[in-house]
Amino acid sequence: MELSRELLTAETIDPSTGEPARTTIEVRHDPLTGHSSRILPERGLMPASDFDLEAFARESQPNCPFCPGRVDRLTPKLASSIHPDGRITRGEAVLFANLHAYSSHSSVSVYSSRLHYLPLDQVTGRILADNLATQVAFARAVVAADPQSRWASINANHMLPSGSSLFHPHMQGIVDSQPTTMQRLLAEVPAQRYAAYLDTERRLGERYLGNTGRFEWIVSFAPIAPAELRAFAAGISSPAELDDDLIAELAHGLALALAAYAEMGFQSFNCAIYGAPPAGEGYPLNLRLACRSNLRAFYRSDSTFLERLHWEGAVDVAPEAVARRIGDRFRQ
Ligand SMILES: [Zn+2]
């Protein structure tokens, strides 16, 4: 597979010297969906976090509906057809219905009611695995109770810049009869194209991070968002099909990635694990994980008219630089 890229040159006149100045922009096309992305020269668009998250945590904690003593009282229960207890728990993770539904079945799952403050370098595989396990149980319960709802995704808005309205870290599940745009586009990609993309990245090596068992991790060639990683697991198409071993493996990979983000100075991220209907032929369960701008007063959003309205990524963090920063974490 040829990874498509084209170099554009912008010429301007430098105001201080009056001399021509040139900037090179690389336009890349995603090998799966064809969407394009612009790799810009490093411009410092994603400064490292210098925000006192711990102080903000203390400030937001007294009114947090997900904290101990309030989570049972203030969060909606699941319909009894989905779960007789109204909540799904695993370890310290608790899943409940999303107060603000996005689909026929929308859930929120906190890593722990106790973990109001959870910086990315403290997100362990265990914490992630328990939370993912509640989401997997939710997806299974919905698919069993409402067979029309076959499109499941597990997602995260982590910290306010990512779209999270609450500080307390959590994941969100959507199980619906309707795929999202990206689920639909990914499900339309032929199985051979996934295989060819991964073969190409394995061969080139510069964005290939490693294989944790069934999941293969790469840095996106044409990212929608900064420091975007992708992972693929052949042989399963829905989160509802993840067993405990695969949940632990996926959680381990996510923990490695989040630790790398923390080291790069990032504290906010989005994640989407894109499920297609269970037992789909050839569709690999796959995910995107990407950084968002750090929390600070008057911060610059990393999502501009390009991402929101043109569906075009524009990042000044080169994918190959991200892969170098992550290094051999996934190869151990
Ligand atoms: Zn809280």
Side-chain angles (χ1 to χ4, degrees):
M1 174 185 277
E2 181 100 20
L3 298 181
S4 152
R5 53 173 104 197
E6 194 173 328
L7 289 181
L8 309 178
T9 305
E11 188 171 306
T12 55
I13 305 298
D14 186 320
S16 57
T17 63
E19 297 294 322
R22 288 185 182 82
T23 304
T24 306
I25 295 133
E26 196 178 319
V27 178
R28 299 182 178 186
H29 293 95
D30 181 73
L32 298 177
T33 58
H35 78 262
S36 44
S37 178
R38 287 159 194 257
I39 313 300
L40 315 171
E42 163 71 52
R43 289 173 188 169
L45 293 179
M46 294 290 290
S49 180
D50 58 2
F51 191 82
D52 190 346
L53 281 175
E54 203 168 357
F56 188 56
R58 280 193 300 274
E59 215 175 287
S60 55
Q61 202 272 337
N63 298 314
C64 175
F66 296 167
C67 271
R70 286 186 288 266
V71 67
D72 289 340
R73 258 187 316 119
L74 298 181
T75 60
K77 289 186 175 179
L78 299 169
S80 57
S81 57
I82 304 300
H83 203 283
D85 300 340
R87 296 200 163 77
I88 297 172
T89 59
R90 179 72 73 96
E92 293 194 15
V94 187
L95 178 144
F96 39 88
N98 196 331
L99 182 61
H100 307 292
Y102 291 93
S103 60
S104 339
H105 305 279
S106 302
S107 71
V108 169
S109 54
V110 294
Y111 296 88
S112 160
S113 182
R114 198 173 50 80
L115 291 172
H116 182 77
Y117 175 54
L118 181 60
L120 296 197
D121 57 352
Q122 291 174 26
V123 187
T124 62
R126 176 80 272 154
I127 289 172
L128 280 159
D130 284 345
N131 202 347
L132 286 171
T134 65
Q135 287 290 349
V136 169
F138 171 69
R140 282 186 192 162
V142 171
V143 171
D146 174 11
Q148 297 292 320
S149 290
R150 300 179 307 148
W151 295 87
S153 63
I154 304 176
N155 313 280
N157 296 327
H158 194 94
M159 289 291 131
L160 308 183
S162 68
S164 170
S165 55
L166 286 171
F167 182 89
H168 195 124
H170 56 279
M171 289 186 188
Q172 293 187 47
I174 290 179
V175 189
D176 208 7
S177 55
Q178 300 299 315
T180 63
T181 305
M182 190 55 76
Q183 279 176 305
R184 177 170 51 77
L185 293 175
L186 288 169
E188 285 167 2
V189 174
Q192 311 85 285
R193 184 161 277 272
Y194 283 101
Y197 179 30
L198 282 168
D199 281 347
T200 303
E201 289 295 22
R202 241 182 263 123
R203 178 169 52 78
L204 295 174
E206 58 180 344
R207 286 170 301 273
Y208 186 77
L209 298 175
N211 185 334
T212 54
R214 286 273 294 281
F215 281 92
E216 284 193 276
W217 286 78
I218 58 173
V219 181
S220 284
F221 172 70
I224 294 172
E228 180 183 291
L229 311 188
R230 299 178 91 164
F232 301 85
I236 46 170
S237 50
S238 168
E241 295 169 307
L242 288 167
D243 63 20
D244 282 350
D245 286 347
L246 279 174
I247 290 172
E249 184 195 328
L250 174 57
H252 168 67
L254 286 169
L256 291 176
L258 295 181
Y261 281 176
E263 203 175 283
M264 287 184 249
F266 299 123
Q267 283 295 340
S268 180
F269 70 88
N270 284 122
C271 180
I273 302 173
Y274 303 108
E281 276 294 304
Y283 180 79
L285 185 65
N286 66 93
L287 68 86
R288 270 199 179 83
L289 179 72
C291 291
R292 301 300 307 272
S293 300
N294 280 313
L295 193 57
R296 58 161 64 166
F298 313 115
Y299 79 102
R300 169 199 173 267
S301 170
D302 58 281
S303 187
T304 69
F305 66 83
L306 281 169
E307 287 84 3
R308 294 305 307 275
L309 305 183
H310 288 262
W311 298 3
E312 174 104 349
V315 298
D316 74 334
V317 188
E320 295 69 32
V322 173
R324 285 193 297 274
R325 286 296 301 268
I326 292 176
D328 59 4
R329 288 167 197 266
F330 281 83
R331 295 176 204 270
Q332 288 155 5

